[in-house]
Amino acid sequence: MGATVSTRGRIDKRQAILGAAFAVFAREGYARAGVDVIAAEAGVAKATVYSHFGDKETLLREAIAASADQALARNLAVLDRLTDRGDDLRATLEGVGLRLLQCYCDDRSWALRRLLSSEINQFPELLDIVHTRAAGRVTEALADRLARLSIAGHLHAPDPLVAAEQFFSLLSGSIDTRARLGTRRVPNTELRTVARAAVDTFLKAFAQKPTG
Amino acid sequence: MGATVSTRGRIDKRQAILGAAFAVFAREGYARAGVDVIAAEAGVAKATVYSHFGDKETLLREAIAASADQALARNLAVLDRLTDRGDDLRATLEGVGLRLLQCYCDDRSWALRRLLSSEINQFPELLDIVHTRAAGRVTEALADRLARLSIAGHLHAPDPLVAAEQFFSLLSGSIDTRARLGTRRVPNTELRTVARAAVDTFLKAFAQKPTG
Amino acid sequence: MGATVSTRGRIDKRQAILGAAFAVFAREGYARAGVDVIAAEAGVAKATVYSHFGDKETLLREAIAASADQALARNLAVLDRLTDRGDDLRATLEGVGLRLLQCYCDDRSWALRRLLSSEINQFPELLDIVHTRAAGRVTEALADRLARLSIAGHLHAPDPLVAAEQFFSLLSGSIDTRARLGTRRVPNTELRTVARAAVDTFLKAFAQKPTG
Amino acid sequence: MGATVSTRGRIDKRQAILGAAFAVFAREGYARAGVDVIAAEAGVAKATVYSHFGDKETLLREAIAASADQALARNLAVLDRLTDRGDDLRATLEGVGLRLLQCYCDDRSWALRRLLSSEINQFPELLDIVHTRAAGRVTEALADRLARLSIAGHLHAPDPLVAAEQFFSLLSGSIDTRARLGTRRVPNTELRTVARAAVDTFLKAFAQKPTG
DNA sequence: TATGAATGAGGATTCATTCAT
DNA sequence: CATGAATGAATCCTCATTCAT
C-alpha cells in the first residue's frame, strides 16, 4: 500500500506537470514558457520537473503527445455517432459536422494546433507525433464511415478519402477567421450555420443522384 | 537630390530590416528571434534597428504588416485572371485554384500564417492587421468574381461570400497536412490534383443547373 | 551685423546648453543624464552639443563652473550687507544669516552640492573648480567682515576664519536634515528660527564681553 | 545542523553581496555601478545577486540600510562614553567630539552620505531609511546626554536638541571642506584641533554661568 | 525522490559619440 | 556650423539547468 500510494503520487505529479506544461506552453508559447511557471502551476519544485522529463524539449513533446491523445479521443467519440443507419442522412451529417466543429473549436484543440504551428520549425517531429496519434486517424475514421454510406447507397463518393477531406475542409475552412484563431469563442448557433452550409454543399456534390 | 540620396538610404535600410525581421521571425519565432540576428541579416547595426522601430514588438508588427501587403498583392494578381469571360469555366477555375494554392504554399505565406498562429496570444492585434490588409480582401475579391459569374449565368451561387469561402476551403483544406504546415514542398502536380478535386466538387455544388 | 547676430546666436546656444545641462545633471545625476535630453531641453541637436563641448565630461565641468559662478555671486551679494556699522549687531547677523541660509537653500545650490558629492570620485577636479570659484571665497569674505567687526570692538574673534567657519556651521548644520538634502522646501519662518538660534549661540561665544 | 550549514552559507553570501554592493555603489555611484562588478567583488554569480535582491534598486536600498545600521552602531558606541561623571567636562567633550569626528570621517560614513546625496532624487526613501536607522537616533542620543549634563548642573542647555544639533554642526561644519568631501584623509591632529575649537565655542555658549 | 540555491549563457535596450550632408 | 542617421560598447535582467541536502 505504501508503495502504491507513493507510485500513485508520482503518477499524479507526472500528470499534473504534463497538464500544467501544456497549459503554459499554449498560453505563452514554447520559448516564453518558463519551467518555473510550469512547476509552480503544477505545484511541484522546478527540479522535480527536470527529474521527470529531463529537459524542456522533452517536456514539450510529452505534453503535446498527451494532448493529442485526448484530442483524438474527443474526435473519435463524435464519429461513432456517424453510422450508416440511413434515417436522415442530412440531419446525421449536420449533427456530426456540428460536433466535429465543437471539437475543432475546443480550446485545447486550438492550443494544440497553434503550438504545432509555432514550433514546427524547431521541432518537426511534433507534427508526426500529432498526426500519427490524432489528425490522420480522424480523417481515416471519417473516410471509413463515408465509404460505408457509399456502399449502402446513401452517398456517391468514389474516393472516400477525398470526400472526407473535403467534408472537413468545408466544415473548418472558415473557422480560423470566425474564431480568430481560437481567440474568440464562436457561438453554437454560428457553428450550426457553418455546419449546415458545409453539409449543404457536400450533399449537393456527393448525394446519390436520384435515379433517372 | 542630396536629400533624396540620404532618404533613399534610410528607406532602403528600413526595407532591409523589415525583410530580415520577417525572415528571422518566421524561422525562429518571435521569442527566439534575436534582434542582433535580424540586424546582422539586414546588414545594419543593432541600434539602427531600434532607431527605426523602437522595440521588438513594433518591429514584429511592421514586418507582419509589410508581409501581409505583399501576400495581398500576390493573391490579387491571381484573382485578376478570374474574369467572367465564359470560355471554359472549369479550366478557368482550375487555373485560378492552382495559382491560389501556389500563393497559399508560398514560403512567405506559410511563414505569415505560422507567425500569426504563434503570436496571437501575445499580440492579438496582428490578426486584425493581416485580416484588414490581406485575408479579408482576398475572400471578398473572390466573392466579387463569383457574383459576376453568377449574374452572367455561369454559376448558381446565391450567397457568393459563402461560395467564396467554400471554394477556398476546398482548395486549402487538405494542404496543411500535405505540406506539413509548410515544412514540405508540395509538388505542382499534387497541387493540380487538389485544385481539380476542389473545382470538381465546387462545380457539382454550384454549377448552373440546366434549366427545367 | 550679420556676424554679430550669428555670434550672438552661438553664444545664446552655448548658454542654453549650459543651463539645460546643469538642470538635467542636477535632476538625473551625471550618469543617468542623457545628452539627447540635454540637447532637447536646450532646443538644439545632439551633435551641436558635441560641437560646443566635445564630450559629456567637459560639459559637466563647464556647467558646474558656470553654476558655481552664479552661486558665488548670490552669496557675495548677501555678504555686502554685513558692514561694520555697529547699529544692531544681533539684528544684522540674523539678517545676514537668514539670507545666507536662503542662498544655501536655493535649489541651484542644493543641486550644485549634490552633483559635487555624487561625482567627486569620478571627477575630483570639480571640487577645486567650485572651491576656487565659490565656497572658499565666501568663507573668506565672511571672515573679513568678522575681522573688521572685531577690530571695531563689536566682536571678540581672535581667529576670524574659525569664527566664520563656525558661523556657517551653526547656520547650516541642521539644514541638511530639515531640507531633506534639498528635497523639501524649508519655510522662511523655519529658516529665521534657525538663524536666530545660530546667532544666539554665536554671540554668546563671540560677543565682546562687557568690560568688568 | 545540515540546514544550519546551508542557511549559514546563504546568509554569508547575502552579507558578502551587501558589502560588495555598498563598496561598489560608493565607489562608482548607483548608475555606473555594474551588477556584474558587485557580484564579482562578492564572489558570487550575477544571477545570485538577483535571486537575493530581485533588482538593482532593492540592492541599493538594502545595502544602504545595512550600512546605516553599522554607522549607527559606531556612533552610539562613541556616545556611550559621554556620561555625566563630572570629571572634566571640557576634556570629555573634546574626547567625544574627536571620536564623533572620526566616525564622521570614516570612509564608510562619507560613502553613505555621498550616496545619499547622489541618489536622493531617484530614491527619496533612502533618506528616511538612513534617518530612521541612524542619523536621527544619534542626534537624539546626544541630546539625551546633554540633557543629563544640564540637569546635573554641568551645562546650561535649555533646549538640548538644539544644543546637540549645534554641537554637531560646530564639529562637522568645516569638515566637508577639510576632507574634500571624503576625498582627503584628515589627520588626527587636525581633527583634534577642530574638536577643540568646537568644544571651545560650545562651552562658551552653553557652559553653566556662574551663579549671580 | 524532491527541493532550494546557485549559476552561465544569452537577449533586449540604451547611449555617448561620429560622420555625411 | 548644425543636424539626422548610424553605430558599438555596455548594462540589466531572465532562464534552463545542475548540485548538495
Side-chain angles (χ1 to χ4, degrees):
Chain A
M1 272 289 284
T4 304
V5 166
S6 85
T7 296
R8 255 269 154 253
R10 186 161 170 75
I11 290 183
D12 286 352
K13 279 194 177 170
R14 191 184 170 85
Q15 294 305 327
I17 294 172
L18 282 175
F22 185 76
V24 176
F25 284 143
R27 191 196 319 138
E28 313 272 359
Y30 175 75
R32 276 187 132 83
V35 177
D36 342 28
V37 176
I38 292 172
E41 207 141 313
V44 303
K46 206 192 332 185
T48 306
V49 175
Y50 279 89
S51 87
H52 275 267
F53 295 98
D55 65 4
K56 202 184 170 188
E57 295 193 11
T58 306
L59 182 54
L60 175 68
R61 270 184 279 266
E62 303 255 4
I64 291 230
S67 174
D69 287 341
Q70 298 168 16
L72 173 62
R74 291 197 301 272
N75 277 279
L76 291 186
V78 168
L79 286 184
D80 278 343
R81 295 170 159 264
L82 184 56
T83 67
D84 47 358
R85 290 177 296 117
D87 315 13
D88 180 348
L89 181 58
R90 176 176 299 265
T92 305
L93 283 177
E94 284 181 1
V96 169
L98 176 61
R99 316 259 178 189
L100 284 175
L101 278 182
Q102 286 168 336
C103 285
Y104 190 91
C105 286
D106 185 295
D107 276 347
R108 294 161 295 181
S109 299
W110 279 114
L112 184 56
R113 288 194 298 274
R114 278 198 308 255
L115 260 174
L116 226 51
S117 270
S118 314
E119 308 305 335
I120 185 134
N121 276 324
Q122 306 291 327
F123 311 105
E125 341 81 70
L126 291 183
L127 196 72
D128 300 297
I129 296 178
V130 174
H131 258 255
T132 308
R133 293 182 175 238
R137 296 194 184 179
V138 177
T139 312
E140 287 191 4
L142 178 57
D144 282 354
R145 304 296 186 287
L146 295 184
R148 290 197 186 176
L149 290 169
S150 266
I151 290 173
H154 302 305
L155 278 182
H156 176 72
D159 186 336
L161 194 57
V162 167
E165 282 173 351
Q166 290 189 337
F167 186 62
F168 262 132
S169 301
L170 289 169
L171 277 174
S172 58
S174 71
I175 295 295
D176 284 22
T177 301
R178 292 179 194 270
R180 297 179 54 95
L181 294 176
T183 282
R184 166 184 173 259
R185 181 152 290 286
V186 184
N188 248 318
T189 64
E190 188 174 347
L191 289 185
R192 206 180 308 271
T193 306
V194 171
R196 198 167 291 147
V199 170
D200 203 56
T201 297
F202 184 79
L203 284 181
K204 274 194 223 149
F206 292 104
Q208 189 60 282
K209 292 304 184 308
T211 47
Chain B
M1 273 292 284
T4 303
V5 167
S6 87
T7 296
R8 253 276 153 249
R10 185 158 172 81
I11 289 183
D12 285 352
K13 278 191 178 163
R14 190 182 172 88
Q15 295 304 331
I17 295 171
L18 283 174
F22 185 77
V24 176
F25 283 143
R27 189 196 320 138
E28 313 272 358
Y30 175 77
R32 275 185 133 82
V35 178
D36 352 19
V37 177
I38 293 173
E41 208 140 312
V44 302
K46 210 195 315 188
T48 305
V49 175
Y50 281 90
S51 95
H52 275 266
F53 295 98
D55 63 3
K56 205 183 168 190
E57 295 194 12
T58 304
L59 181 54
L60 175 68
R61 270 186 278 267
E62 303 253 4
I64 292 234
S67 174
D69 287 341
Q70 296 166 18
L72 174 62
R74 291 196 301 270
N75 277 280
L76 291 187
V78 167
L79 287 183
D80 278 343
R81 295 168 157 264
L82 185 55
T83 66
D84 47 358
R85 289 176 298 119
D87 317 10
D88 179 349
L89 183 57
R90 176 175 300 264
T92 306
L93 283 177
E94 283 180 3
V96 168
L98 175 61
R99 315 254 180 194
L100 283 176
L101 278 182
Q102 287 167 336
C103 284
Y104 190 91
C105 287
D106 185 297
D107 277 345
R108 294 161 294 180
S109 297
W110 279 114
L112 184 55
R113 287 194 299 275
R114 278 199 310 257
L115 219 46
L116 223 53
S117 268
S118 316
E119 308 305 335
I120 185 128
N121 274 325
Q122 307 291 329
F123 310 105
E125 342 82 66
L126 291 183
L127 196 74
D128 300 295
I129 295 178
V130 173
H131 258 256
T132 307
R133 292 184 175 237
R137 296 195 184 178
V138 175
T139 312
E140 288 195 2
L142 177 56
D144 282 353
R145 303 296 187 288
L146 296 183
R148 288 196 186 177
L149 290 170
S150 268
I151 291 174
H154 302 306
L155 276 183
H156 176 70
D159 187 334
L161 194 56
V162 168
E165 281 174 352
Q166 291 190 335
F167 186 63
F168 263 132
S169 301
L170 290 169
L171 278 173
S172 58
S174 71
I175 295 295
D176 284 22
T177 302
R178 292 177 195 272
R180 300 178 52 93
L181 292 176
T183 280
R184 167 184 172 259
R185 179 149 293 285
V186 183
N188 248 319
T189 64
E190 189 174 347
L191 290 185
R192 205 180 308 269
T193 306
V194 172
R196 199 168 289 147
V199 169
D200 204 53
T201 297
F202 183 79
L203 283 181
K204 274 195 225 148
F206 292 103
Q208 188 59 286
K209 293 302 185 308
T211 48
Chain C
M1 271 290 285
T4 303
V5 166
S6 84
T7 297
R8 254 269 155 252
R10 187 160 170 75
I11 290 183
D12 286 352
K13 278 194 178 170
R14 191 183 170 86
Q15 293 305 326
I17 294 172
L18 283 175
F22 185 77
V24 176
F25 283 142
R27 191 195 320 136
E28 313 271 359
Y30 175 75
R32 276 187 132 84
V35 177
D36 341 29
V37 176
I38 293 173
E41 207 141 311
V44 303
K46 207 190 334 183
T48 305
V49 175
Y50 279 88
S51 86
H52 274 267
F53 294 97
D55 65 3
K56 202 184 170 189
E57 295 193 11
T58 305
L59 182 54
L60 175 68
R61 271 185 278 267
E62 303 254 2
I64 292 231
S67 174
D69 287 341
Q70 296 167 18
L72 173 63
R74 290 197 301 273
N75 278 281
L76 291 188
V78 168
L79 286 184
D80 278 343
R81 295 171 158 262
L82 184 57
T83 65
D84 47 359
R85 289 176 299 117
D87 316 12
D88 181 351
L89 180 58
R90 175 176 299 265
T92 305
L93 283 177
E94 284 182 2
V96 169
L98 176 61
R99 315 260 177 188
L100 284 176
L101 278 182
Q102 286 168 335
C103 285
Y104 190 91
C105 286
D106 185 295
D107 278 345
R108 294 161 294 179
S109 298
W110 279 114
L112 184 57
R113 286 194 300 274
R114 279 198 309 255
L115 261 174
L116 225 51
S117 268
S118 315
E119 308 306 335
I120 186 137
N121 276 324
Q122 307 291 328
F123 311 104
E125 341 81 69
L126 291 184
L127 195 73
D128 300 298
I129 296 177
V130 174
H131 259 255
T132 307
R133 292 181 176 241
R137 297 194 184 181
V138 176
T139 311
E140 287 190 5
L142 178 58
D144 281 355
R145 303 297 186 288
L146 296 183
R148 289 195 187 178
L149 291 169
S150 267
I151 291 173
H154 302 305
L155 279 180
H156 176 71
D159 188 334
L161 193 58
V162 168
E165 281 174 352
Q166 291 190 336
F167 186 62
F168 261 132
S169 301
L170 288 170
L171 278 173
S172 59
S174 71
I175 295 296
D176 284 23
T177 301
R178 292 176 194 271
R180 299 179 53 93
L181 293 177
T183 281
R184 166 183 173 260
R185 180 153 291 287
V186 183
N188 248 318
T189 65
E190 190 173 345
L191 290 185
R192 206 180 306 271
T193 304
V194 171
R196 199 167 290 149
V199 169
D200 204 53
T201 297
F202 184 78
L203 284 181
K204 274 195 224 150
F206 292 103
Q208 189 59 282
K209 294 302 184 309
T211 48
Chain D
M1 276 290 285
T4 303
V5 167
S6 86
T7 296
R8 254 274 153 249
R10 186 160 171 78
I11 289 184
D12 285 353
K13 280 194 176 160
R14 192 184 170 87
Q15 294 305 331
I17 294 171
L18 282 175
F22 184 78
V24 177
F25 283 143
R27 189 196 320 138
E28 313 271 359
Y30 176 76
R32 277 186 131 83
V35 178
D36 349 19
V37 177
I38 293 173
E41 207 141 312
V44 302
K46 208 197 313 190
T48 305
V49 175
Y50 281 93
S51 95
H52 276 266
F53 296 98
D55 63 3
K56 203 184 168 189
E57 294 194 12
T58 304
L59 182 54
L60 175 68
R61 271 185 277 267
E62 303 253 3
I64 292 233
S67 174
D69 287 341
Q70 296 167 18
L72 173 63
R74 291 196 301 271
N75 278 279
L76 291 187
V78 168
L79 287 184
D80 278 343
R81 297 170 157 261
L82 183 56
T83 66
D84 48 359
R85 289 178 297 121
D87 314 12
D88 178 351
L89 181 57
R90 175 176 300 265
T92 305
L93 284 177
E94 283 180 4
V96 168
L98 174 62
R99 315 254 180 195
L100 284 176
L101 277 182
Q102 286 167 336
C103 284
Y104 190 92
C105 286
D106 185 297
D107 277 345
R108 294 162 294 180
S109 297
W110 279 113
L112 184 56
R113 287 193 299 273
R114 277 198 310 256
L115 220 46
L116 223 53
S117 269
S118 315
E119 308 305 336
I120 185 129
N121 275 323
Q122 307 290 327
F123 311 105
E125 340 83 68
L126 292 183
L127 195 72
D128 300 296
I129 296 178
V130 174
H131 258 257
T132 307
R133 294 184 174 237
R137 296 193 184 180
V138 175
T139 311
E140 288 195 0
L142 177 57
D144 283 353
R145 302 298 186 287
L146 295 185
R148 289 196 186 177
L149 291 170
S150 268
I151 292 174
H154 303 306
L155 276 182
H156 176 72
D159 187 335
L161 195 58
V162 168
E165 281 173 352
Q166 291 189 336
F167 185 64
F168 264 132
S169 301
L170 290 169
L171 278 172
S172 59
S174 70
I175 297 294
D176 284 22
T177 301
R178 291 176 195 273
R180 298 179 53 94
L181 293 176
T183 280
R184 166 183 173 261
R185 181 151 291 286
V186 184
N188 248 319
T189 63
E190 188 173 347
L191 290 184
R192 205 180 307 270
T193 305
V194 171
R196 198 167 291 148
V199 170
D200 203 54
T201 297
F202 183 78
L203 283 182
K204 273 194 226 152
F206 292 104
Q208 187 60 284
K209 292 305 185 309
T211 49

